[in-house]
Amino acid sequence: MEDFYRELSEELEKLKAQAIYREFRTVENSASQWVVAGGGELLNLCSNNYLGIANHPLLKDASVDAINRYGSGATSSRLIIGNYDLYEEAEREIARFKNTESALLFNSGYVANIGTIAAIIGRGDLVLSDKLNHASIIDGILISRADHIRYRHCDLTNLENHLKHASYKRKMIITDSVFSMDGDLAPLPGLVELKEKYGAILMIDEAHGSGVFGANGRGLAEYYGVSERIDINMGTLGKAFGCAGAYVAGKKVLIDYLKNKARSLIFTTGLPPSTVASINAALKVVRDEGWRRDSVLSKAKLMRDRLGRAGFNTLNSQSQIIPLVIGYDRAALEFSRRLYEENILAPAIRYPAVPKKMARIRLSIMATHQLDDLEWALERIERIGRETGVIG
Ligand code: PMP
């Protein structure tokens, strides 16, 4: 087996030479806005805990109670024995939250996407996917074996051209709602027009929209007033909801179909009861503490405006995700290292998470960030930007 391990090691050396090698970093308290890592305290500007509720007392208490009542694991697939009333309650509440007939829990956003996409489309079907969609969508499409067109990012004209020439019985359009690495927004009103005009199914991934956008936090579809016109509403529960897992919401027949056909649901152990209990608590917190949505979005706007005025390229971000485009992978790593030295935690996002030469720092804002801390960070980010020549 020596050849095998040598080959692995050579591959890793190549990644290091290209500055795209990845390593875990240990932190002591990732749910907080200040985290302890490497012996120092750093401002957390990279968490998806957008509403700051991952350490909310109601979520923690719900988890602890569920552990005491049910134990630590679901013990099997939900279709065998690992299904408690807790899960059904969560699904009822998610459906209510999303204003859909029904909903289904999955163990993560990644498995929700691969399971759902591969269940809905297959050989002989066509999927039209935004070029910047998340890796889990791309992997779901690959598993499905459907024909695959990647349309230009958020480009409705380009998408319509493809739709016009597509003679497939089943066509599915799929998009992130808030794009995970650019922080910009999918043109959902235009997408629903096109899906209706060309008889396509529309699936949206609200991983970064759910809990944050819309008057009730239902997501970007609510913000644009098009929720009822979307066929498959997927969202995650490990980001704004501070838990883990994901959901798909839609018509009852769709959910019944997924229970029977989504392999990533059928052939896996259910989420731990403690997680599902915290999801139920998070749904209440998201409903009752609307100030968190206003807070994260207004702080994000302040940051975007200031960073843009300072000369950073923040692409077309309109959300709590703010990219600072640096360019080369190595330069982004160096920028992130400089931030770390100044007690700011914001890793470099490199290829293949983003296209080559588009490496960046991805800042994400939390409702619980203090304005003074953000000012403190802005001053440092701008100084490092000037010193490294990223801004003039
Ligand atoms: N979809 C999108 C758009 C995401 O950004 C992510 C996670 N980064 C996922 C799906 C996967 O979600 P999870 O982390 O729950 O697997």
Side-chain angles (χ1 to χ4, degrees), residues 48 108-111 113 134 136 176 178 180 205 207-208 234 236 238-239 245-246:
N48 293 331
S108 74
Y110 187 92
V111 301
N113 276 336
H134 189 256
S136 54
D176 282 20
V178 176
S180 57
D205 175 340
H208 302 277
M234 175 271 176
T236 57
K239 298 181 168 63

